[in-house]
mmCIF file of all heavy atoms in Angstrom:
data_model
loop_
_atom_site.group_PDB
_atom_site.id
_atom_site.type_symbol
_atom_site.label_atom_id
_atom_site.label_comp_id
_atom_site.label_asym_id
_atom_site.label_seq_id
_atom_site.Cartn_x
_atom_site.Cartn_y
_atom_site.Cartn_z
ATOM 1 N N THR A 53 -67.751 6.236 -30.114
ATOM 2 C CA THR A 53 -66.699 6.815 -30.956
ATOM 3 C C THR A 53 -65.351 6.350 -30.424
ATOM 4 O O THR A 53 -65.110 6.360 -29.214
ATOM 5 C CB THR A 53 -66.763 8.345 -30.958
ATOM 6 O OG1 THR A 53 -66.672 8.826 -29.607
ATOM 7 C CG2 THR A 53 -68.069 8.827 -31.581
ATOM 8 N N VAL A 54 -64.488 5.928 -31.325
ATOM 9 C CA VAL A 54 -63.219 5.316 -30.924
ATOM 10 C C VAL A 54 -62.067 6.022 -31.644
ATOM 11 O O VAL A 54 -61.987 6.006 -32.876
ATOM 12 C CB VAL A 54 -63.199 3.810 -31.241
ATOM 13 C CG1 VAL A 54 -61.876 3.191 -30.784
ATOM 14 C CG2 VAL A 54 -64.376 3.106 -30.584
ATOM 15 N N CYS A 55 -61.181 6.632 -30.867
ATOM 16 C CA CYS A 55 -60.002 7.316 -31.399
ATOM 17 C C CYS A 55 -58.855 6.323 -31.518
ATOM 18 O O CYS A 55 -58.450 5.705 -30.528
ATOM 19 C CB CYS A 55 -59.617 8.461 -30.471
ATOM 20 S SG CYS A 55 -58.062 9.258 -30.896
ATOM 21 N N PHE A 85 -62.195 6.636 -35.629
ATOM 22 C CA PHE A 85 -61.537 7.683 -36.399
ATOM 23 C C PHE A 85 -60.066 7.674 -35.999
ATOM 24 O O PHE A 85 -59.698 7.130 -34.947
ATOM 25 C CB PHE A 85 -62.180 9.059 -36.184
ATOM 26 C CG PHE A 85 -62.054 9.597 -34.781
ATOM 27 C CD1 PHE A 85 -60.972 10.392 -34.405
ATOM 28 C CD2 PHE A 85 -63.033 9.321 -33.824
ATOM 29 C CE1 PHE A 85 -60.852 10.894 -33.113
ATOM 30 C CE2 PHE A 85 -62.927 9.816 -32.525
ATOM 31 C CZ PHE A 85 -61.838 10.608 -32.172
ATOM 32 N N TYR A 142 -59.508 15.719 -29.757
ATOM 33 C CA TYR A 142 -60.382 14.704 -30.343
ATOM 34 C C TYR A 142 -60.325 13.408 -29.534
ATOM 35 O O TYR A 142 -61.345 12.736 -29.330
ATOM 36 C CB TYR A 142 -59.987 14.425 -31.788
ATOM 37 C CG TYR A 142 -60.291 15.547 -32.741
ATOM 38 C CD1 TYR A 142 -59.282 16.107 -33.534
ATOM 39 C CD2 TYR A 142 -61.585 16.056 -32.875
ATOM 40 C CE1 TYR A 142 -59.553 17.138 -34.425
ATOM 41 C CE2 TYR A 142 -61.867 17.087 -33.767
ATOM 42 C CZ TYR A 142 -60.844 17.627 -34.530
ATOM 43 O OH TYR A 142 -61.120 18.650 -35.421
ATOM 44 N N ALA A 143 -59.134 13.043 -29.081
ATOM 45 C CA ALA A 143 -58.993 11.842 -28.260
ATOM 46 C C ALA A 143 -59.758 12.005 -26.953
ATOM 47 O O ALA A 143 -60.443 11.086 -26.492
ATOM 48 C CB ALA A 143 -57.516 11.569 -27.979
ATOM 49 N N ASN A 144 -59.650 13.185 -26.357
ATOM 50 C CA ASN A 144 -60.302 13.427 -25.078
ATOM 51 C C ASN A 144 -61.816 13.346 -25.186
ATOM 52 O O ASN A 144 -62.503 12.968 -24.234
ATOM 53 C CB ASN A 144 -59.885 14.789 -24.532
ATOM 54 C CG ASN A 144 -60.167 14.932 -23.053
ATOM 55 O OD1 ASN A 144 -60.136 13.954 -22.301
ATOM 56 N ND2 ASN A 144 -60.445 16.149 -22.619
ATOM 57 N N ALA A 145 -62.357 13.709 -26.351
ATOM 58 C CA ALA A 145 -63.812 13.718 -26.531
ATOM 59 C C ALA A 145 -64.363 12.353 -26.927
ATOM 60 O O ALA A 145 -65.583 12.142 -26.883
ATOM 61 C CB ALA A 145 -64.186 14.748 -27.598
ATOM 62 N N ALA A 146 -63.503 11.421 -27.314
ATOM 63 C CA ALA A 146 -63.967 10.116 -27.789
ATOM 64 C C ALA A 146 -64.476 9.258 -26.629
ATOM 65 O O ALA A 146 -64.059 9.408 -25.477
ATOM 66 C CB ALA A 146 -62.832 9.397 -28.514
ATOM 67 N N ASP A 147 -65.366 8.337 -26.962
ATOM 68 C CA ASP A 147 -65.849 7.393 -25.949
ATOM 69 C C ASP A 147 -64.768 6.385 -25.586
ATOM 70 O O ASP A 147 -64.753 5.864 -24.465
ATOM 71 C CB ASP A 147 -67.083 6.646 -26.467
ATOM 72 C CG ASP A 147 -68.277 7.558 -26.695
ATOM 73 O OD1 ASP A 147 -68.539 8.415 -25.827
ATOM 74 O OD2 ASP A 147 -68.940 7.412 -27.748
ATOM 75 N N TYR A 148 -63.866 6.108 -26.551
ATOM 76 C CA TYR A 148 -62.804 5.155 -26.313
ATOM 77 C C TYR A 148 -61.552 5.560 -27.087
ATOM 78 O O TYR A 148 -61.645 6.236 -28.107
ATOM 79 C CB TYR A 148 -63.228 3.734 -26.752
ATOM 80 C CG TYR A 148 -62.985 2.718 -25.669
ATOM 81 C CD1 TYR A 148 -63.945 2.469 -24.694
ATOM 82 C CD2 TYR A 148 -61.768 2.043 -25.583
ATOM 83 C CE1 TYR A 148 -63.706 1.561 -23.672
ATOM 84 C CE2 TYR A 148 -61.521 1.139 -24.583
ATOM 85 C CZ TYR A 148 -62.482 0.902 -23.624
ATOM 86 O OH TYR A 148 -62.239 0.023 -22.605
ATOM 87 N N ILE A 149 -60.404 5.173 -26.566
ATOM 88 C CA ILE A 149 -59.119 5.459 -27.209
ATOM 89 C C ILE A 149 -58.349 4.155 -27.361
ATOM 90 O O ILE A 149 -58.264 3.368 -26.409
ATOM 91 C CB ILE A 149 -58.268 6.444 -26.368
ATOM 92 C CG1 ILE A 149 -59.001 7.771 -26.156
ATOM 93 C CG2 ILE A 149 -56.914 6.687 -27.034
ATOM 94 C CD1 ILE A 149 -58.319 8.673 -25.135
ATOM 95 N N LYS A 209 -58.474 8.521 -17.991
ATOM 96 C CA LYS A 209 -59.105 7.974 -19.194
ATOM 97 C C LYS A 209 -59.036 6.442 -19.160
ATOM 98 O O LYS A 209 -58.364 5.808 -19.992
ATOM 99 C CB LYS A 209 -58.418 8.493 -20.462
ATOM 100 C CG LYS A 209 -58.297 10.001 -20.576
ATOM 101 C CD LYS A 209 -59.644 10.702 -20.715
ATOM 102 C CE LYS A 209 -60.290 10.444 -22.043
ATOM 103 N NZ LYS A 209 -61.548 11.233 -22.201
ATOM 104 N N ASN A 211 -61.076 4.568 -20.190
ATOM 105 C CA ASN A 211 -61.726 4.097 -21.418
ATOM 106 C C ASN A 211 -60.719 4.048 -22.568
ATOM 107 O O ASN A 211 -60.934 4.612 -23.629
ATOM 108 C CB ASN A 211 -62.892 5.009 -21.788
ATOM 109 C CG ASN A 211 -62.464 6.466 -21.976
ATOM 110 O OD1 ASN A 211 -61.591 6.959 -21.275
ATOM 111 N ND2 ASN A 211 -63.071 7.147 -22.928
#
Side-chain angles (χ1 to χ4, degrees):
T53 57
V54 181
C55 173
F85 65 91
Y142 290 124
N144 198 31
D147 295 316
Y148 231 87
I149 301 170
K209 307 294 290 185
N211 58 324

